[in-house]
Amino acid sequence: QVQLVESGGGSVQAGGSLALSCVLSKYIARSDCIGWFRLAPGQEREEIAIIDRRTGATNYADSVKGRFTISQDNTNNTLYHLQMNSLKPEDTAKYYCAADWRADICDIRAVQYDYWAQGTQVTVSS
């Protein structure tokens, strides 16, 4: 079954934190790369974080580096998290977790996702 189910998000004031979670079906959980991208009205899609399921290596967009952390759950390898701290109004967007089935490396500059979730809204007020 091909499925990604995302949860979390919501509204927060600038400087606050939110956490997103993404549960993958067992099939999708075998993907090489898991990540998040975001879409804001009038802006281009932005790849923001990715993790290599095989090695645990991560990389981030400069816009979120040092504030966001992507991780695989310690007890459930089909569950991934995106912890977002020090949120800014410019982080307001719809966030999507996604999976790249097969990739030599997991790099947000070159990722091509094959599957993605329904998206969840994150709104940061000033």
Side-chain angles (χ1 to χ4, degrees):
Q1 184 181 10
V2 177
Q3 191 174 16
L4 299 85
V5 179
E6 194 171 4
S7 61
S11 297
V12 67
Q13 288 192 326
S17 298
L18 286 173
L20 305 182
S21 295
C22 186
V23 178
L24 284 61
S25 63
K26 288 186 178 180
Y27 175 78
I28 299 298
R30 294 159 51 197
S31 298
D32 288 342
C33 312
I34 309 298
W36 262 270
F37 64 88
R38 64 188 182 187
L39 284 170
Q43 297 187 21
E44 292 187 357
R45 166 174 156 170
E46 184 181 16
E47 314 293 346
I48 58 172
I50 197 166
I51 184 168
D52 190 320
R53 175 189 58 81
R54 299 158 295 187
T55 65
T58 60
N59 61 89
Y60 300 90
D62 288 342
S63 59
V64 306
K65 198 173 295 182
R67 300 187 298 121
F68 290 14
T69 303
I70 187 171
S71 63
Q72 184 183 44
D73 191 86
N74 290 332
T75 60
N76 181 352
N77 62 9
T78 67
L79 177 61
Y80 288 79
H81 305 287
L82 183 68
Q83 178 65 40
M84 305 183 292
N85 299 328
S86 302
L87 283 160
K88 306 174 181 180
E90 50 264 43
D91 293 318
T92 295
K94 195 165 186 179
Y95 286 68
Y96 298 82
C97 70
D100 184 353
W101 179 246
R102 287 294 174 259
D104 292 334
I105 60 171
C106 298
D107 189 331
I108 57 169
R109 295 166 297 180
V111 65
Q112 293 185 337
Y113 291 117
D114 299 294
Y115 311 101
W116 48 90
Q118 77 282 5
T120 188
Q121 180 67 35
V122 170
T123 302
V124 184
S125 58
S126 57

